[in-house]
């Protein structure tokens, strides 16, 4: 049973920054991929960012150049630095761990964090 604990959400103004963190109960090398999905009411769940065990990264097109995902192997933690936040980034962000195929082109979540709210508003 994998436990994922995420933190870092909050309320920020447009153009601001937040950093999300997700700590796992096991080594991140136990998983092929980790990252975040986000979901807002009435919208489709979207893969925001992912990083694979081979250090391939994948980003939602709308966040490319603004968000950066990284991992700290020693602390079994991944981080998502979110810069230049926009109102459209408002959502609940769910950390996940799972599998990846085709260099990260195909992501299959297995475990989920509790979710953290990100609200971008003036």
């Amino acid at each position: 049973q994998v436990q994922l604990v995420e933190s870092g959400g909050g309320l920020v103004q447009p153009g601001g920054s937040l950093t999300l963190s997700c700590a796992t109960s096991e080594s991140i090398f136990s998983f092929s991929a980790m990252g975040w999905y986000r979901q807002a009411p009435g919208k489709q769940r979207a893969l925001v960012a992912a990083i694979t065990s081979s250090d391939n990264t994948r980003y939602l097109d709308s966040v490319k150049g603004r968000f950066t995902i990284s991992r700290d192997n020693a602390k079994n933690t991944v981080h998502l630095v979110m810069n230049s936040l926009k109102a459209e980034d408002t959502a609940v962000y769910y950390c996940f761990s799972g599998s990846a195929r085709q260099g990260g082109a195909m992501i299959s979540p297995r475990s989920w964090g509790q979710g953290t709210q990100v609200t971008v508003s003036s």
Side-chain angles (χ1 to χ4, degrees):
Q1 186 177 13
V2 177
Q3 292 182 318
L4 303 175
V5 180
E6 56 184 306
S7 61
L11 173 64
V12 297
Q13 295 183 347
S17 299
L18 285 173
T19 298
L20 305 183
S21 299
C22 181
T24 75
S25 59
E26 298 183 358
S27 170
I28 64 173
F29 292 110
S30 299
F31 314 105
S32 296
M34 293 185 65
W36 278 266
Y37 281 77
R38 70 185 184 190
Q39 188 165 24
K43 297 182 180 179
Q44 294 281 349
R45 184 177 64 179
L47 177 65
V48 179
I51 185 167
T52 72
S53 58
S54 59
D55 289 329
N56 292 323
T57 57
R58 176 180 172 182
Y59 296 96
L60 185 67
D61 284 344
S62 62
V63 310
K64 289 180 179 178
R66 300 189 295 120
F67 292 10
T68 302
I69 189 168
S70 63
R71 67 187 186 193
D72 185 334
N73 296 338
K75 297 181 179 180
N76 296 338
T77 302
V78 294
H79 303 281
L80 183 66
V81 178
M82 306 185 295
N83 294 318
S84 302
L85 284 162
K86 306 174 181 179
E88 66 187 63
D89 297 317
T90 296
V92 178
Y93 285 67
Y94 294 94
C95 178
F96 76 90
S97 64
S99 61
R101 301 179 186 274
Q102 300 177 350
M106 298 178 61
I107 301 294
S108 298
R110 299 284 190 267
S111 301
W112 296 93
Q114 80 279 11
T116 186
Q117 177 72 47
V118 172
T119 302
V120 184
S121 176
S122 298

